[in-house]
Amino acid sequence: MSRSALAASVVLLGLLGCSEQFNDPPAETPELGGARPTTSSPEVTMDDLERQVSRRLGRQVAAHRLHLDALECPVWGGAVPTSLSCRGWFDSVPGTVRVKLRRDASGMVAFDASLTGGVVATAMLVDDLVGRGYEDVDCGTVPAYPTEVGSTITCAVTSDDVRSQVVVTITDAKGSVTISAF
């Protein structure tokens, strides 16, 4: 693996920028993962639109081993085309959900929904590290983290039969990260 800085899209369901740095090893072995999210999903009563969006988006994020706990959208007045910015909770981590509403060919209301920020999916981070040539990647048991700038996630990795750690640091609110290998 090259020691030069790398840029790639990772972690946030394919939306995040990433670079890699190599530093001296830390003085002590850090605990795997990062600070556990302190938020919890609210108990919300979803309307018909929110339930439909939640079902579809829930299936999409399940592919990234995330669970959509709840979804809150502003009141929709029925106009199309339009976009709504909603708040979703993914494994208790709040994230921004964009819902685009339109009429389909038959005149029915249709929508597209996507998670657009706020959540770092641990499974996506693991997949990216494996793609970079690391083996036996372990980033702990927390499925998702909020994109709090400066927060870190520590992962144990194997490269060239040597076990070491990488530290992932979140560098912006959209979830861009740097990966430092030790």
Side-chain angles (χ1 to χ4, degrees):
M1 176 177 269
S2 168
R3 292 196 175 267
S4 63
L6 301 173
S9 293
V10 298
V11 184
L12 182 59
L13 308 178
L15 298 176
L16 306 180
C18 181
S19 64
E20 187 169 26
Q21 301 172 347
F22 293 85
N23 299 318
D24 294 328
E28 57 186 64
T29 303
E31 184 176 330
L32 296 181
R36 291 199 174 271
T38 57
T39 58
S40 62
S41 301
E43 302 247 348
V44 298
T45 302
M46 294 188 280
D47 64 23
D48 288 341
L49 175 65
E50 290 166 329
R51 280 192 296 278
Q52 290 178 41
V53 170
S54 179
R55 277 192 296 273
R56 185 180 300 171
L57 186 59
R59 286 190 301 269
Q60 291 172 4
V61 300
H64 303 287
R65 296 175 291 261
L66 288 175
H67 177 262
L68 176 58
D69 303 320
L71 182 70
E72 285 186 323
C73 295
V75 175
W76 172 51
V80 289
T82 193
S83 291
L84 301 175
S85 182
C86 305
R87 174 66 84 201
W89 282 265
F90 302 84
D91 293 294
S92 298
V93 176
T96 303
V97 174
R98 172 66 76 202
V99 179
K100 294 181 181 179
L101 296 143
R102 66 190 186 305
R103 292 220 183 268
D104 66 15
S106 68
M108 301 290 293
V109 174
F111 66 87
D112 295 309
S114 60
L115 172 61
T116 60
V119 180
V120 174
T122 305
M124 296 297 291
L125 175 59
V126 169
D127 291 348
D128 180 64
L129 291 169
V130 168
R132 291 171 180 266
Y134 293 109
E135 299 172 341
D136 303 319
V137 177
D138 184 355
C139 295
T141 60
V142 176
Y145 294 94
T147 56
E148 294 174 1
V149 175
S151 63
T152 60
I153 303 164
T154 301
C155 302
V157 298
T158 300
S159 180
D160 298 324
D161 296 322
V162 175
R163 194 74 172 156
S164 62
Q165 285 83 35
V166 295
V167 176
V168 178
T169 304
I170 298 172
T171 59
D172 68 30
K174 287 194 171 215
S176 296
V177 299
T178 59
I179 298 173
S180 300
F182 295 100

